Amino acid sequence: MAAGRKERKSVAVFLAANTGNDIRYEKLIHHVAAMFAKNGWNLVYGGSARGLMGTLGKAASALGVDVHGVKPRPFLKYEETGELPTFGHHELVDDLYTQKKRIAELTDAFIILPGGFGTLEEYTAVRMWSKLGVWRRPIVLLNFEGFYTPLLDWITKAKSLDFVSENSVAVVSVVNSVGEIDALLSNPATVVENDDHFDWSVLVPGHVDSWQSDFEKSLVDIADQVSLQHSLTVHWSTWHTWDYYTRVNPGVTEANVRIWKDIAPFSTCVGMTYQVAKNLGAALRAAPSLARGLERLRTVACPASADSTQPYHCVTGVFMDSYCIVIDPVFSVKAFTVPYNGSFETLPYITTSGRTQQRCFRYFARPSGDKVLTMEKVGSVDAAVQFSDIDHNTALQQISMRAARNTRIGSKVPSKKVVVVRSLMDEKPTKIASTPLNAEFVVTACRVQIDFGERILTMQIPSNDWLFKPENKRYLLRLQHSPMYTPVNDAVLNLVIALKSLSNDGIALDQLLLMGEIGERLGLARGEILRIADSLWPEKHHVHYP
């Protein structure tokens, strides 16, 4: 690879959503899948399990290719199952334009294979976007068995009549075989440098930051400061609220803001929202030019699912006419702007089970004219949930207190609890999501899950970005010989202690001390892991375990 150039990571493929009646085209798709596997490219495509698209997605996934599908929501009904494919990673978007835009953001090059009207539309769109300067990434048209010869003849005719220019024609490379695609896109000379910024203003003038008013920029800056300060000083924890309401102060029945001081530096979304709204309100009052923002400052909550009315998650929002600024320290370190009739996706995170999850926020108007904020899981077919106004006392009682006293169905055993700790890294992580802050990077340093039913304590920590670093070699050596060590993927690993299965208290204590030492390095206070583990020992806890 030439110096200064990046390796190609992802390639988008546009092709038919039908299988057709010629077996040669299906065989072609398997050759394309093999090319992706050989080169280690990620596949980005239209997100269908049908036709040649589905054949490519399944074949590539079976060969170990990372498959990322982007599916327009209205087209989901055409899938046989009515759901997203089960192979690879898939996400839903609102429409065809957003689909192509999202695919473009994910990819380093485009391949056009045989297809129908949809493929033709995608081909003309990406070549026009390239001609207009939206990007400079390679576009390759495969004229397999002369499939696109009539189209190429039309282009030649149009060029001869000066309807299209030579430069316009040169935007697309035409090849006749998969081998030629391989040779072309494997050539370092075709990897475009510094092409990470798309000039969408050519297509949608309001898309780029230049439209953003000074008022909004100032509002976002202040919201960012409040959000960052909070994210670095407060850790999200459902265990600490459970501990407070069931062990420290079990007799409390009324909402009282004192809890957030008593369990600091831990909190839940309710406590975070309370403090963020308070701090943001104070900051806006101190800036008279931003008084309009103060008038639109609201605390809102959403249910866990669209068929529920029970509040579940809280955020702080500044609901302006053309955008909504959201502060949600649980899912985002920084404040973010959701444009009206637009969306915003938070950074992905990895659960202790190894699943990657992400949230998408949307801001739009209902038929009644009321503007609403919604949230959904990226890649999920579950309906979005809508946020509604809520006051702190109601949120405290209906979300935090209710969750703290919630037990597993048919049992007195508490439901699982989680503690999430963020901290700063000096170097930009390569495997886990991060947010730049000055010369450092904010990351989720560790995630602790407390499973009362199974009496299992799990701590998720970064592997490549922390444990495998030379300065942490002593921890790696100790963990590799420990039954706690549980690899998850190339980004994180779990440290797992099954307390009910340990007959020797000394062994359990040794493991807990090591977990606690690592937790302390990653931002947990000294002794916190032992305190959490104490709640799992049945002989030390008032809850009766079956």
Side-chain angles (χ1 to χ4, degrees), residues 155-166:
I155 293 173
T156 300
K157 181 68 173 179
K159 178 176 172 293
S160 70
L161 294 172
D162 287 337
F163 290 152
V164 296
S165 67
E166 181 69 39

Side-chain angles (χ1 to χ4, degrees), residues 27 38 87 198 211 226 232 248 256 310 341 421 483 492 499:
K27 290 180 178 178
K38 186 195 81 168
F87 56 84
F198 296 144
W211 67 271
V226 171
L232 290 174
V248 177
N256 192 323
Q310 178 67 43
N341 282 335
V421 176
V492 298
L499 293 174

Side-chain angles (χ1 to χ4, degrees), residues 298-303 308-309 311-315 319 366 371-374 385-391 394-395 399:
R298 292 160 53 190
T299 296
V300 292
C302 68
S308 172
T309 58
Y312 176 77
H313 181 62
C314 270
V315 303
F319 291 76
R366 293 292 188 195
K371 291 180 179 176
V372 296
L373 180 71
T374 65
V385 291
Q386 179 178 320
F387 288 91
S388 303
D389 291 323
I390 194 169
D391 64 84
T394 301
I399 300 178

Side-chain angles (χ1 to χ4, degrees), residues 105-118:
E105 291 169 346
L106 292 169
T107 192
D108 302 311
F110 302 87
I111 297 173
I112 316 297
L113 298 182
F117 288 121

Side-chain angles (χ1 to χ4, degrees), residues 257-430:
V257 71
R258 189 185 70 192
I259 178 180
W260 310 124
K261 294 181 180 179
D262 289 348
I263 70 172
F266 301 95
S267 188
T268 65
C269 63
V270 175
M272 289 178 169
T273 300
Y274 168 77
Q275 196 62 51
V276 161
K278 181 179 177 181
N279 292 346
L280 182 56
L284 294 178
R285 277 189 288 273
S289 62
L290 299 178
R292 278 191 296 145
L294 185 60
E295 296 169 359
R296 303 293 187 94
L297 179 63
R298 292 160 53 190
T299 296
V300 292
C302 68
S305 62
D307 57 0
S308 172
T309 58
Q310 178 67 43
Y312 176 77
H313 181 62
C314 270
V315 303
T316 302
V318 182
F319 291 76
M320 306 304 292
D321 291 335
S322 58
Y323 56 88
C324 178
I325 297 174
V326 180
I327 301 181
D328 184 356
V330 174
F331 292 118
S332 178
V333 172
K334 300 182 69 175
F336 53 88
T337 301
V338 187
Y340 178 59
N341 282 335
S343 62
F344 177 87
E345 290 185 358
T346 62
L347 289 174
Y349 65 95
I350 304 171
T351 66
T352 51
S353 63
R355 292 178 299 170
T356 299
Q357 294 196 356
Q358 196 174 8
R359 296 296 188 273
C360 177
F361 289 77
R362 302 181 190 277
Y363 186 46
F364 59 95
R366 293 292 188 195
S368 63
D370 295 331
K371 291 180 179 176
V372 296
L373 180 71
T374 65
M375 181 181 73
E376 63 198 72
K377 291 181 181 179
V378 174
S380 172
V381 296
D382 294 340
V385 291
Q386 179 178 320
F387 288 91
S388 303
D389 291 323
I390 194 169
D391 64 84
H392 176 256
N393 283 346
T394 301
L396 187 54
Q397 287 187 319
Q398 295 191 13
I399 300 178
S400 295
M401 294 175 69
R402 184 174 181 273
R405 289 169 173 153
N406 185 41
T407 58
R408 294 171 55 171
I409 297 175
S411 169
K412 293 183 179 180
V413 177
S415 56
K416 294 178 182 178
K417 305 301 175 187
V418 177
V419 179
V420 177
V421 176
R422 288 193 178 110
S423 61
L424 292 169
M425 284 188 173
D426 295 332
E427 298 179 5
K428 180 177 174 59
T430 60

